[in-house]
Amino acid sequence: MTILRMESISIEFPGVKALDHATFQIETGEVHALLGANGAGKSTLMKVLSGAYSHYTGSISFDGVGVEIRSPKDAQSAGVQIVYQEVDTALISYLSVAENIMLNETVNELGKKQLVSWSSIHEKAKAILDKMNIRISSKTLVNELTLAEKQMVLIARAVRSNCQFLILDEPTAPLSQTETNELFRIVAELKASGVGIIFISHRLPEIFQICDGITVMRNGQFVQRLRTSDVTQNEVIEKMLGKKLEDQYPGRFEVSGERILEVRGLSDKQKVHDVHFHVHAGEILGIAGLVGAGKTELCKALFGNSTNLSGDVLLKGKKLKLKAPHQAVQKGLALVPEERRKEGVLVTESVTTNLTAASLSSFTRLFGFLNVRAERKKSVEMIRSLGIKTPSELALVEHLSGGNQQKIAIGKWLIADADVYMFDEPTKGVDVGAKKDIFLLIQELAKRGKAIIYASSELAELVGVTNRVYVMYDGKMVKEVQTAETNEEELLYFSTGGN
């Protein structure tokens, strides 16, 4: 057994103290959860451990012996591997599964100017895939894989590289229940073989299902280390927030507005098949469905981001013919996408740039010059009203937590003032405190007479925040229910093909 310990870890970024004398401990053969609200410092602490950040203070040791980890190579040499939530950034899409799994060894061989035995590369990759019972061909190109399969490839690469401790950052966020069960099987096997697993997730039921222990962080500091069997989910949430848990969902209110959006027989010839639904002004309409049901594709189709569409989309009784997202914006449609870092925000730009990106014409002077003062003033107003935690309006979005990034993704559309707001998995990777803020934001939009489409696989959220729900299964709408007359069990039944 090996004990890994991080002590008094501190790190700062411009205007932000991300970690403040944080501590963490895990041993091999243990699955340990690292929990905290967005901005608590979880991912930052793990980036220190995996060598992504070098300018920290504090110490890291293995069985009491100090190690210097200042680069990813240092971490790998120490037996630490990480699988980030954004799996695409860690894989080379145009290479095969085998080439990605064996990437480090292949690069080392090429660096020594040796000839590479491609047959040996595939044999070794196949051996590790077979050992982990991952049913993917080593010759398949990575760009042909699902998100779940890409994640499995990254785990296989990590295990191949003398891994003592494996960090999984929000690993189940993009996965279906079947894929999640497969991931948990692999985690259990790694644990049995002596690997220590650090598990970061906002899905507490999963934490209590698979983890032996929990470390809670808040505001960049260590709060408490717990055994999962000795604590309840509500107690963990209260430790994360630093206060008593309040009711998560705002109360529902009656809807009496006109029909704003109507969809008749919409198909994209791939994932969306003959979809019919409507939504009223002031209504929060839920689209329920498991991962892969077609919710994301439906939202993108309505936002003008699909080809080969057939069927009719009517906004206030008038047919829309949208061939690009900018046309959807002009007509009064807004989309907060599932993949916020890839599609929802500009991570390398400032908070101000992001908040005003969808409404630049409002800040443009004669001859096309941007009124920077007005732009910054509006962004400061929005930061205050949304409770966005940022050092300033000029801070880069990439340095903010996931919950604050999501508030920015929503905030830019509040400035643009659309008629129909579509939210695709709006609480993905968001902590319980920020979730409530988002629910209140969405309800406030509905009170202002906006039509809301809330697409989610989180059935408890749909029951908690919507007025009416359509259930989507295999690209089709299979059931319509009034939220007050349904429950999670019924929604799950229809989401899995029940009729």
Side-chain angles (χ1 to χ4, degrees), residues 215-322:
T215 291
V216 180
M217 294 184 67
R218 188 169 66 245
N219 298 327
Q221 298 177 320
F222 168 82
V223 174
Q224 195 169 358
R225 194 172 194 271
L226 306 155
R227 297 301 299 174
T228 312
S229 56
D230 297 338
V231 71
T232 67
Q233 291 187 34
N234 281 356
E235 287 171 340
V236 169
I237 292 171
E238 289 173 359
K239 292 180 188 301
M240 288 165 57
L241 299 179
K243 60 184 179 181
K244 286 288 183 181
L245 180 64
E246 300 172 355
D247 188 20
Q248 184 76 0
Y249 303 108
R252 274 192 292 271
F253 58 94
E254 292 298 317
V255 178
S256 57
E258 63 175 327
R259 185 174 292 192
I260 294 290
L261 185 75
E262 184 171 5
V263 176
R264 301 173 182 165
L266 190 69
S267 299
D268 68 356
K269 299 180 176 60
Q270 291 180 309
K271 279 279 193 175
V272 179
H273 310 293
D274 193 30
V275 165
H276 298 257
F277 74 93
H278 64 274
V279 57
H280 297 88
E283 180 179 30
I284 303 175
L285 177 74
I287 306 291
L290 303 182
V291 173
K295 304 184 304 298
T296 294
E297 291 77 9
L298 173 61
C299 291
K300 288 184 175 181
L302 294 173
F303 198 57
N305 196 22
S306 293
T307 56
N308 299 320
L309 283 181
S310 59
D312 294 323
V313 178
L314 292 84
L315 182 65
K316 297 180 179 178
K318 295 181 180 179
K319 284 187 181 181
L320 296 181
K321 290 294 182 183
L322 304 176

Side-chain angles (χ1 to χ4, degrees), residues 438-474:
I438 291 170
F439 297 151
L440 290 170
L441 275 174
I442 291 171
Q443 187 181 76
E444 189 57 38
L445 285 171
K447 287 180 178 177
R448 284 164 46 188
K450 308 301 182 183
I452 311 295
I453 296 173
Y454 192 104
S456 180
S457 56
E458 300 291 343
L459 303 182
E461 293 179 12
L462 292 166
V463 172
V465 302
T466 66
N467 301 102
R468 191 163 50 93
V469 180
Y470 286 95
V471 182
M472 201 167 186
Y473 174 75
D474 199 21

Side-chain angles (χ1 to χ4, degrees), residues 24 85 96 107 119 199 203 224 232 279 318 396 448:
F24 178 77
Q85 186 178 350
S96 69
V107 168
S119 60
F199 199 90
R203 295 177 170 179
Q224 195 169 358
T232 67
V279 57
K318 295 181 180 179
L396 299 185
R448 284 164 46 188

Side-chain angles (χ1 to χ4, degrees), residues 4-190:
L4 183 158
R5 185 164 175 79
M6 305 177 75
E7 295 184 272
S8 198
I9 304 293
S10 297
I11 191 169
E12 293 188 25
F13 300 98
V16 181
K17 187 159 191 174
L19 294 173
D20 184 8
H21 295 88
T23 64
F24 178 77
Q25 181 176 311
I26 184 177
E27 60 189 48
T28 49
E30 174 190 14
V31 183
H32 196 90
L34 182 57
L35 301 182
N38 287 113
K42 309 179 300 295
S43 294
T44 304
L45 186 64
M46 290 302 100
K47 284 180 178 178
V48 167
L49 181 57
S50 61
Y53 295 143
S54 60
H55 63 289
Y56 65 90
T57 59
S59 64
I60 302 172
S61 64
F62 288 76
D63 287 338
V65 179
V67 294
E68 195 73 15
I69 296 181
R70 302 286 172 178
S71 70
K73 187 174 181 180
D74 290 341
Q76 289 167 16
S77 298
V80 176
Q81 296 279 350
I82 186 167
V83 176
Y84 290 111
Q85 186 178 350
E86 292 84 14
V87 294
D88 286 313
T89 62
L91 294 168
I92 301 176
S93 62
Y94 55 82
L95 293 183
S96 69
V97 167
E99 289 165 320
N100 273 277
I101 290 174
M102 305 297 294
L103 188 62
N104 295 334
E105 294 180 34
T106 306
V107 168
N108 289 338
E109 287 187 26
L110 289 172
K112 297 173 185 175
K113 297 184 180 180
Q114 295 180 356
L115 292 175
V116 176
S117 171
W118 296 111
S119 60
S120 175
I121 291 290
H122 281 280
E123 283 176 15
K124 291 176 181 177
K126 186 176 183 303
I128 193 70
L129 289 170
D130 288 345
K131 182 180 179 182
M132 298 175 67
N133 197 25
I134 299 174
R135 292 172 289 280
I136 306 171
S137 169
S138 65
K139 297 181 180 178
T140 304
L141 293 180
V142 161
N143 60 18
E144 297 173 8
L145 301 179
T146 65
L147 273 173
E149 289 171 335
K150 290 175 183 177
Q151 199 170 65
M152 299 303 178
V153 169
L154 280 175
I155 294 172
R157 181 203 287 175
V159 173
R160 173 71 190 170
S161 306
N162 184 34
C163 180
Q164 283 195 89
F165 296 97
L166 177 64
I167 306 162
L168 298 178
D169 190 359
E170 293 286 352
T172 63
L175 306 186
S176 69
Q177 188 57 54
T178 301
E179 292 165 337
T180 296
N181 292 339
E182 184 65 12
L183 172 67
F184 286 178
R185 180 192 62 77
I186 290 174
V187 167
E189 288 186 2
L190 292 173

